[in-house]
Amino acid sequence: MNISIKGAYGDSNFGDDLLMIVFEDFINTNIKNKSLNFIGAESNYVSKFLQSSSYNNQQKNDVLIYGGGTQFFSFIEKSTLRTKLKNNISNNPVKILKKAFKKISPDKKPVINGEKAFWVLD
């Protein structure tokens, strides 16, 4: 049986490369009479991690497994104002609002009086 596992291997991503090693160990232990191949980025270092599997071999697959999460998730490539706002608002909206108010009116001082808080205009 020809098995290939496709992932973000060879992209200098420790987590995905470690996952590749775990997959190889698990499959070698549990499945006999197989040819195991990993598919990923062209890289010289990956094959040094593999014990008995091939890397980017053009074999005809009986089974193709998508192993790893990176191919299902797209990282933000550019850091634009829009992406910064989107990420910060979803992570911590209060923090971004405080920063915005501070930029808009730096001379305003918060006043806390008992249970009430308000801005003092100079």
Side-chain angles (χ1 to χ4, degrees), residues 11-27:
D11 282 330
S12 299
N13 181 328
F14 175 75
D16 285 326
D17 291 341
L18 180 61
L19 186 60
M20 178 186 66
I21 295 167
V22 170
F23 279 146
E24 182 188 39
D25 183 56
F26 179 82
I27 290 172

Side-chain angles (χ1 to χ4, degrees), residues 11-60:
D11 282 330
S12 299
N13 181 328
F14 175 75
D16 285 326
D17 291 341
L18 180 61
L19 186 60
M20 178 186 66
I21 295 167
V22 170
F23 279 146
E24 182 188 39
D25 183 56
F26 179 82
I27 290 172
N28 283 341
T29 302
N30 294 291
I31 300 174
K32 305 298 179 209
N33 301 323
K34 53 54 186 102
S35 171
L36 182 58
N37 178 54
F38 288 89
I39 302 169
E42 288 298 327
S43 183
N44 293 330
Y45 77 88
V46 178
S47 58
K48 295 176 185 175
F49 293 143
L50 299 173
Q51 299 294 317
S52 60
S53 304
S54 61
Y55 188 73
N56 284 339
N57 184 12
Q58 300 297 321
Q59 71 180 16
K60 183 178 178 185

Side-chain angles (χ1 to χ4, degrees), residues 69-85:
T70 307
Q71 66 263 11
F72 300 112
F73 180 79
S74 179
F75 292 100
I76 297 171
E77 299 272 329
K78 288 200 259 179
S79 182
T80 63
L81 179 61
R82 182 178 177 205
T83 57
K84 284 181 184 178
L85 283 173

